[in-house]
Each structure stands twice: as C-alpha cells, then as structure tokens.
Amino acid sequence: MIVSVVSMPEGVVARTGLAQARERLTATSGFVIVDIDLGVEPPPDEEPLTRRLGLDDAGEWLGRAGEHVRAEYHDGTAIGVVPVVCGNEVAHIHVLADQRRFITVHHGPVELIEAFLDQLPQDLPPDVVTTLFLFLQGVLETFRRAVTQAHLEVEDLEEAMFERRQPEHVQRLAQLRRRAAHLHRAFLPYAAVAQEILVRRRMAGHHLSEERLAMNRLHEHTVQLVLVEIEALRDAARRAATSYASLVADQQNVVINRLTIVSMVFLPLSFLTGFFGMNFAYLTNRLMSEDSFLEFGVGLQVGAVVVALYYVLYRTHWRQLRDSRTRDAADDQS
C-alpha cells in the first residue's frame, strides 16, 4: 500500500502511512488531499478502508475491488467511482470529496494520479471543489487522448488499405473497433451519472456561486463532447470496415471479370471440340478435308476470340475512354 498526502495550499506531496493519513484527515484546519494505492492484489481479510481512515460518513465499498461506475452525494459529501483510461486498459478510481478532504483510492499505479499530483504545486487549487473538478477534467482528458489516438490510427489504416491492402489490416481494424466499443462501454455509465449529479446540483443548489456553476457547466459540456468524439471514432471504424469490404469486393470483381474473359475465349473451343467429336453422317461425309477443318475448326475459334476480345475491350476500355473524353469536353465548355 502506498499512501501520498498533499498538504494544501503548499502542494507538497509526502509519502506516509495509513495512520498518519488518518490523522491528517481528522484534522480540523485547512483541507488535505490523500491518494491511496492499495496495490494490484490487496489482502482480502483486512478491515474496510473507510473504518481504517475514520471515515464514518463514507460507504464501506470505498476502495473495494470490482466496483463499477457509481456516484453518491449526501450531506455535502460526494463519493463515487470514475473510469480512467490507463494505457490500453480502463481503470476505476474511487473518489471522496467534502469540504476538507479529497481522497482517491485505486488498485495499482495510474498515470492520471501521478500527473495530477505532479501538477498540484503549479495549479494550487483553493478548495476541494476546484480540486475535484480539476481531477474530473483530467479523467475526461484521458478518454479524449485515447479517442484521438485511436481515430488517427483508423485514418492511417484506411489510407494504407487504399494504397496496398494487407491481410493484417483487417485484424488491426477489428482491434480498433473493439477499442472504440470498449471506450464507449466504459464512458457511457460515467456520462449518465455525471449528467444526473450535475443537473441535480445545478437545480437544487441555489446558493452555488457563479464560479462553481461555471465549472459545473464546463464539465457537463466536456462530457458531452467526449461522447460525441467516441461516437465519431465508432463511425470512423465502421466506415473503415466498409471500405475494406468494398476493396475486397472490387478485387473479387476483377477476378470474376478475368474468369469471364477466359471462359469467353475457351467456350467456343469447347463447343467446337464437342462438335467435331460427335459421329454423325454430315460430319463424316461432308467435313473430311483439311480445308473444312481449318474453315470450321480454326476459323470459328479465331472469330469467336476476336468477337469476345472486341466486346471486352469495348465494355471496359474504349467506352470508358470515350465517356471520359466527352466529360472533359463538357467541362472545358462550361
């Protein structure tokens, strides 16, 4: 267990034990920021963290592993669980905030917490409410950075597919689609809870200052913006998947066209082979000379090939070239 206590307003971060953190939390002067890293696998038989910290007004689920996104607000104390993007995973941080205390609890190291503690000496928030909104804005920024990075990867992948499609592109595209779905599934509960809490506080908190109302609206607006960006990422991933399917279909069409050309060339030959392979009176009595074979056998085959090639070239190249010249002439006149 790693316990970090930040003395405010100085913003000095100190590593202490749980007992020293409890003493600071029960102090009556100023406000204190405490971060507790319980480790990846905390001992299961320990006393609840709220009792060990002397937090009688907090729920016993604070710091308990496996808790999902939730939020509660009563008697001036806000307590909840917020999702945070940490690398390729989504971690959950337990948060408690009132007039004198701001506590974060998590299992294992979280990049957001380290950046938040390092930034405190520069930000120096004046109270717990400002500290809470700064922290929540950092939570939203982790999602925005993850969405932006995934969006750029989707665009690069789509461009690479059009240049030269590779088999590994479809695997990477599937990973990005799962990434977008994972971010959406992790952030949507937080967006719903934040919307509910913020709107309720804005409607019921007639005594709230303009500064706090502005922070409330800013956070609500940012939540909606992150939702829009996640939806845009999902749309981009679906569009890239559609583009990949179109490229595969175009390649299959090219293969089918080639097979059609081959069949058009060999179909008359197959017919002539079957025709001259039959044994009936006209064939055996009339078509016995070499000239007859060259006329009917080779001549018909060459004629069929010429007609097939003319048809294919006319349909694929000559007509397209003529249409393009017609369009160019119309563009020049306009």
Side-chain angles (χ1 to χ4, degrees), residues 95-170:
V95 180
L96 183 145
D98 56 17
Q99 296 298 325
R100 299 183 299 104
R101 302 168 296 191
F102 180 78
I103 305 173
T104 56
V105 184
H106 51 95
H107 297 270
V110 179
E111 297 177 1
L112 171 64
I113 297 295
E114 299 175 0
F116 178 73
L117 295 179
D118 293 340
Q119 191 65 25
L120 279 177
Q122 286 76 32
D123 294 335
L124 292 178
D127 51 32
V128 176
V129 175
T130 305
T131 304
L132 174 61
F133 275 101
L134 284 175
F135 176 79
L136 294 180
Q137 285 297 114
V139 170
L140 299 183
E141 287 301 322
T142 62
F143 278 92
R144 296 191 67 180
R145 286 194 294 268
V147 170
T148 301
Q149 181 181 0
H151 207 147
L152 292 176
E153 291 181 6
V154 170
E155 292 181 352
D156 293 340
L157 181 60
E158 190 172 9
E159 184 177 355
M161 286 191 307
F162 280 105
E163 291 180 357
R164 185 177 181 182
R165 186 174 59 86
Q166 299 292 338
E168 58 270 15
H169 288 165
V170 64

Side-chain angles (χ1 to χ4, degrees), residues 19 38 43 51 62 80 82 87 106 124 145 176 202 205 224 240 287:
L38 297 176
R51 298 180 184 177
L62 181 69
V82 297
H106 51 95
L124 292 178
R145 286 194 294 268
L176 290 172
R202 191 163 61 247
Q224 298 301 321
L287 303 179

Side-chain angles (χ1 to χ4, degrees), residues 32-324:
V32 62
I33 300 174
V34 178
D35 174 67
I36 303 175
D37 182 1
L38 297 176
V40 180
E41 297 180 357
D45 299 331
E46 287 189 352
E47 187 180 7
L49 184 63
T50 53
R51 298 180 184 177
R52 300 172 65 186
L53 291 174
L55 304 175
D56 298 332
D57 53 348
E60 292 189 356
W61 54 265
L62 181 69
R64 188 167 57 192
E67 291 291 331
H68 297 287
V69 176
R70 59 190 299 180
E72 299 176 4
Y73 184 85
H74 52 82
D75 297 333
T77 300
I79 180 172
V81 181
V82 297
V84 177
V85 178
C86 187
N88 294 325
E89 302 295 332
V90 176
H92 290 84
I93 301 179
H94 298 230
V95 180
L96 183 145
D98 56 17
Q99 296 298 325
R100 299 183 299 104
R101 302 168 296 191
F102 180 78
I103 305 173
T104 56
V105 184
H106 51 95
H107 297 270
V110 179
E111 297 177 1
L112 171 64
I113 297 295
E114 299 175 0
F116 178 73
L117 295 179
D118 293 340
Q119 191 65 25
L120 279 177
Q122 286 76 32
D123 294 335
L124 292 178
D127 51 32
V128 176
V129 175
T130 305
T131 304
L132 174 61
F133 275 101
L134 284 175
F135 176 79
L136 294 180
Q137 285 297 114
V139 170
L140 299 183
E141 287 301 322
T142 62
F143 278 92
R144 296 191 67 180
R145 286 194 294 268
V147 170
T148 301
Q149 181 181 0
H151 207 147
L152 292 176
E153 291 181 6
V154 170
E155 292 181 352
D156 293 340
L157 181 60
E158 190 172 9
E159 184 177 355
M161 286 191 307
F162 280 105
E163 291 180 357
R164 185 177 181 182
R165 186 174 59 86
Q166 299 292 338
E168 58 270 15
H169 288 165
V170 64
Q171 181 178 3
R172 181 56 184 161
L173 182 59
Q175 294 175 354
L176 290 172
R177 294 188 67 181
R178 288 196 298 268
R179 175 70 166 169
H182 189 198
L183 291 174
H184 184 266
R185 186 167 55 251
F187 187 77
L188 191 59
Y190 174 79
V193 170
Q195 181 76 9
E196 178 184 355
I197 295 297
L198 293 175
V199 172
R200 184 187 304 171
R201 288 289 297 158
R202 191 163 61 247
M203 294 178 62
H206 303 289
H207 60 283
L208 294 178
S209 63
E210 289 296 329
E211 181 181 0
R212 293 191 178 181
L213 286 175
M215 289 189 292
N216 187 312
R217 296 190 184 96
L218 175 62
H219 189 73
E220 184 179 1
H221 173 73
T222 309
V223 167
Q224 298 301 321
L225 181 61
V226 174
L227 270 180
V228 171
E229 292 177 349
I230 293 178
E231 289 296 335
L233 172 61
R234 299 182 70 187
D235 292 339
R238 286 192 289 263
R239 184 184 65 247
T242 304
S243 300
Y244 187 89
S246 299
L247 291 175
V248 173
D250 291 341
Q251 186 177 9
Q252 291 178 347
N253 290 335
V254 171
V255 173
I256 292 174
N257 288 335
R258 292 175 180 175
L259 292 177
T260 303
I261 295 174
V262 173
S263 63
M264 291 179 67
V265 172
F266 284 94
L267 184 60
L269 181 61
S270 302
F271 169 76
L272 294 174
T273 303
F275 177 77
F276 284 99
M278 291 184 291
N279 187 14
F280 52 90
Y282 179 82
L283 181 63
T284 55
N285 296 331
R286 300 294 183 88
L287 303 179
M288 300 178 60
S289 64
E290 183 178 354
D291 295 336
S292 300
F293 174 77
L294 293 177
E295 179 181 355
F296 288 95
V298 179
L300 288 177
Q301 174 65 20
V302 173
V305 171
V306 171
V307 172
L309 292 178
Y310 173 80
Y311 178 78
V312 172
L313 291 176
Y314 175 76
R315 291 292 300 273
T316 58
H317 297 286
W318 294 340
R319 191 173 64 178
Q320 294 178 2
L321 181 61
R322 184 190 60 187
D323 294 341
S324 64

